[in-house]
Amino acid sequence: MLVFYPGSLIFVLAAMFAGMFRAEAVPVVATAWSRFHRRCTRWILGQKVVIEGDLPIGPYLYICKHESMFETIDMLCLFDKPAIGAKRELFDIPLWGDIARRYGLIPIERSAGASALRVLRAAAREATAKGKAICLFPEGTRVPHGERPPLKSGFAGLYGLLGLPVVPIAIDSGRVSPRGRFLKRPGIITYKVGEMIPPGLDRKDVEAKVHAAINALN
């Protein structure tokens, strides 16, 4: 934290300054920040990232397990300028929230119901029109390693509206960077890529397949 947070402030200020001249510079700086985060976890915490399976790259709907802050930042290392769903409260953080909007993060109001789904759908369609990957964490919040809560209803609604193939991804980051713990542990963080799920399945089937796939490392 003594290295990452002061370093993050430098990246935020750099993104604000660069964004004054070119909007395209903000995602570039954000990606550099994500790589800085990956290096901090690797060389300070001793956490190595391993990907199991083939990760297809394209305008797909990537659905990821959510166990720690790690994967929310690391998505920018996995994909090229992805559109990532983030809880609405994060956009209220001074400086960072403004950069999040310029980057194109998708704000998710977890208690807003149908209106939140409409905002999410519009943002996701805009992102896919630009060829971007869409990354969502359908459990809604960080989950302790080993727990398997049901998916939030917004996932199935978005899946049906967008008509995109789904790539489910399991992750076990909570083993070494558990939520609410100041101290982290060295070790391996594994992404396990599940089998691609085609569009057009009914809600019960797609939720069951996604739920099983993102919990494959539990």
Side-chain angles (χ1 to χ4, degrees):
M1 291 184 179
L2 292 174
V3 174
F4 177 67
Y5 285 112
S8 295
L9 178 59
I10 294 173
F11 280 100
V12 169
L13 295 175
M16 293 183 66
F17 180 76
M20 293 171 59
F21 301 96
R22 291 188 61 189
E24 298 83 0
V26 174
V28 174
V29 176
T31 301
W33 172 64
S34 179
R35 291 172 179 164
F36 166 69
H37 170 259
R38 174 80 75 94
R39 293 188 184 99
C40 286
T41 56
R42 177 68 182 93
W43 300 112
I44 299 176
L45 298 181
Q47 297 175 352
K48 181 181 178 181
V49 175
V50 172
I51 300 176
E52 294 183 358
D54 295 325
L55 183 62
I57 303 299
Y60 302 124
L61 184 57
Y62 295 89
I63 301 298
C64 189
K65 182 75 177 177
H66 192 13
E67 294 190 352
S68 78
M69 185 180 74
F70 174 86
E71 56 270 12
T72 59
I73 302 174
D74 200 61
M75 289 289 107
L76 278 71
C77 284
L78 293 182
F79 306 105
D80 181 26
K81 305 177 185 66
I84 304 172
K87 59 184 180 181
R88 177 64 182 80
E89 301 93 292
L90 294 177
F91 290 77
D92 295 328
I93 298 176
L95 299 180
W96 193 92
D98 182 59
I99 296 301
R101 293 184 183 89
R102 295 190 191 190
Y103 172 84
L105 287 188
I106 302 174
I108 299 177
E109 185 68 61
R110 290 178 289 186
S111 61
S115 62
L117 182 58
R118 287 193 293 270
V119 172
L120 183 58
R121 177 183 62 182
R125 283 181 169 172
E126 180 180 353
T128 54
K130 298 177 180 177
K132 293 184 177 182
I134 301 173
C135 303
L136 298 178
F137 302 98
E139 292 161 319
T141 190
R142 289 172 291 175
V143 176
H145 182 71
E147 294 190 8
R148 303 164 61 99
L151 307 181
K152 297 295 184 180
S153 59
F155 157 68
L158 189 65
Y159 166 79
L161 290 169
L162 294 179
L164 293 174
V166 172
V167 179
I169 303 174
I171 187 171
D172 59 357
S173 58
R175 292 188 308 104
V176 295
S177 292
R179 177 183 181 179
R181 301 280 185 87
F182 178 78
L183 294 179
K184 315 300 181 184
R185 296 193 298 272
I188 295 176
I189 295 176
T190 301
Y191 289 105
K192 185 176 179 63
V193 183
E195 183 178 348
M196 186 179 292
I197 300 171
L201 301 183
D202 65 40
R203 176 172 181 167
K204 184 177 180 180
D205 285 346
V206 71
E207 285 189 341
K209 288 179 180 294
V210 167
H211 191 263
I214 68 172
N215 286 288
L217 294 174
N218 278 338

